[in-house]
Amino acid sequence: MRITLLAGGIGGARFTRGLLHHLRTSGIDADVAVIGNTGDDIRVFGLQVCPDLDSVMYTLGGGISEERGWGREDETFVVKGELANYGVEPTWFGLGDRDTATHLVRTQMLDAGYPLSAVTEALCARWQPGVRLIPMTDDRVETHVVVDGEETGTRRALHFQEWWIRYRASLPALAFVLVGGDTAKPAPGVLEVIAEADVVLLPPSNPVVSIGMVLQVPGVREALRSTAAPVVGVSPIVGGAPVRGMADACLAAIGVDTTAEAVARHYGPRVAALPAGADGGGILDGWLVHDGTGSMASDASAVDPLTALGIPTRAVPLLMTDVEATAAIAAQALALAEDVRR
Ligand code: GDP
Ligand code: CA
């Protein structure tokens, strides 16, 4: 069985870890490919940093800081402190010492002319993530956030990382732009692993700045719309709020409510052929929303309207509290994929 996922950082990484656990414990033989978001990538202190690719690689390779959800376990920040002592910007970027080795290897290889996909493969040779991790593109792209400028009527754009980390998403975002996205080509393998998949899964990653950016790479949306595989998504929004992070600030900027239902409507049902050459179109054949137990809010009210819209939807517990709970979510996603298979 071939399973392909589109992933951001922590949500994509943790879901994939649960999926691999489910496959292993159920004795299911599968090739798993993860197409990683590179819109978060940033060059700092001369280092090319790929936060989402690294979150997937470290999480699946057993090197992630569980507590932070990004970067390495047993991390120290000596270099970051020393850079700050020199007054070198940006001081807000969380550069760990162990992590720095990854960025040095990556930057060295990129500067030597290797494409990011080859560099990622080389880094994964150490971490053995158990998946084929492919950056969405080898071309340099960066997500920038358009916000109001200091003077009335003006606007400015800043790197997504600065908006997210330094300003904690508190500056109202007017738009997200994938700089370089228009001309970016999918990395080798990206379109193939979508076309040749038996199942495509969208983990509970940020719909705007993680999965939304992968979808902006020319050709990716079309590949999802034309694959024979069912495409099933897992809601990152539970009870009207992101489980972690500030996805609400991202959704607001694109005019989508922070609900499990609105996110599914935003992705759209994968029905109805578009006129030849038309852009856009929905990508979902199925959707999982959270079924709350106890005090947690439930999104089960989204099941009927979304199913009527053409996105068969089920409510199951969606909190990735540990690997077993996450494996159960992945099992539900695969079961739904089988039931909606055309
Ligand atoms: P990032 O790049 O590190 O921000 O990670 P992603 O984009 O892959 O995932 C971020 C999303 O994961 C957030 O919008 C969260 O709402 C979602 N998320 C985190 N933990 C959970 C969880 O336990 N359950 C669900 N359903 N979503 C989660
Ligand atoms: Ca990210």
Side-chain angles (χ1 to χ4, degrees):
M1 181 179 200
R2 284 159 302 187
I3 304 173
T4 295
L5 301 97
L6 273 50
I10 186 169
R14 287 193 175 163
F15 180 82
T16 306
R17 182 170 60 183
L19 172 70
L20 293 181
H21 186 76
H22 166 68
L23 295 170
R24 216 176 303 119
T25 54
S26 311
I28 302 170
D29 189 25
D31 288 330
V32 179
V34 176
I35 302 170
N37 171 43
T38 58
D40 285 19
D41 295 10
I42 186 166
R43 199 165 265 248
V44 276
F45 314 117
L47 301 173
Q48 188 68 15
V49 180
C50 302
D52 286 358
L53 293 180
D54 287 350
S55 289
V56 173
M57 185 173 78
Y58 292 155
T59 299
L60 301 181
I64 196 81
S65 160
E66 289 296 334
E67 192 190 333
R68 269 183 277 118
W70 57 269
R72 295 287 311 279
E73 64 184 343
D74 298 326
E75 188 58 289
T76 51
F77 292 88
V78 176
V79 171
K80 178 182 187 323
E82 289 297 316
L83 287 164
N85 290 341
Y86 281 111
V88 181
E89 292 292 335
T91 48
W92 46 264
F93 194 80
L95 184 72
D97 299 329
R98 288 178 189 274
D99 205 15
T100 295
T102 303
H103 311 320
L104 283 168
V105 175
R106 173 185 293 124
T107 308
Q108 220 169 12
M109 286 188 73
L110 288 171
D111 289 353
Y114 289 96
L116 182 62
S117 50
V119 175
T120 304
E121 203 179 318
L123 293 170
C124 285
R126 170 183 175 192
W127 291 101
Q128 295 292 313
V131 302
R132 179 174 172 201
L133 176 61
I134 317 174
M136 65 191 197
T137 178
D138 278 336
D139 297 317
R140 188 155 167 195
V141 292
E142 284 184 2
T143 302
H144 286 211
V145 187
V146 181
V147 300
D148 278 325
E150 292 188 354
E151 284 167 44
T152 327
T154 63
R155 291 179 166 193
R156 68 186 178 106
L158 64 168
H159 192 289
F160 169 72
Q161 295 289 344
E162 184 174 7
W163 180 76
W164 188 257
I165 301 170
R166 183 179 184 186
Y167 295 104
R168 308 251 348 123
S170 63
L171 303 176
L174 305 171
F176 294 91
V177 181
L178 185 67
V179 178
D182 289 355
T183 54
K185 291 173 296 300
V190 165
L191 299 182
E192 290 80 0
V193 296
I194 296 174
E196 293 162 9
D198 296 303
V199 176
V200 176
L201 299 176
L202 306 187
S205 284
N206 187 309
V208 185
V209 293
S210 293
I211 292 184
M213 293 306 162
V214 183
L215 293 175
Q216 279 197 33
V217 176
V220 168
R221 180 182 291 273
E222 290 71 12
L224 288 169
R225 283 184 55 80
S226 58
T227 181
V231 181
V232 168
V234 179
S235 177
I237 304 300
V238 163
V243 181
R244 194 189 154 111
M246 304 155 285
D248 44 339
C250 303
L251 287 164
I254 62 163
V256 174
D257 289 342
T258 304
T259 66
E261 181 175 342
V263 172
R265 284 179 186 273
H266 168 65
Y267 284 139
R270 191 166 69 127
V271 289
L274 292 178
D279 274 345
I283 54 170
L284 286 181
D285 296 311
W287 185 242
L288 294 182
V289 299
H290 182 63
D291 181 20
T293 44
S295 58
M296 275 309 292
S298 176
D299 299 311
S301 64
V303 169
D304 289 346
L306 287 176
T307 304
L309 184 75
I311 307 174
T313 299
R314 281 185 197 155
V316 299
L318 287 190
L319 294 178
M320 301 190 285
T321 41
D322 55 31
V323 175
E324 277 76 28
T326 311
I329 301 171
Q332 291 284 354
L334 290 178
L336 178 55
E338 285 320 310
D339 290 348
V340 301
R341 191 179 290 284
R342 298 139 190 256

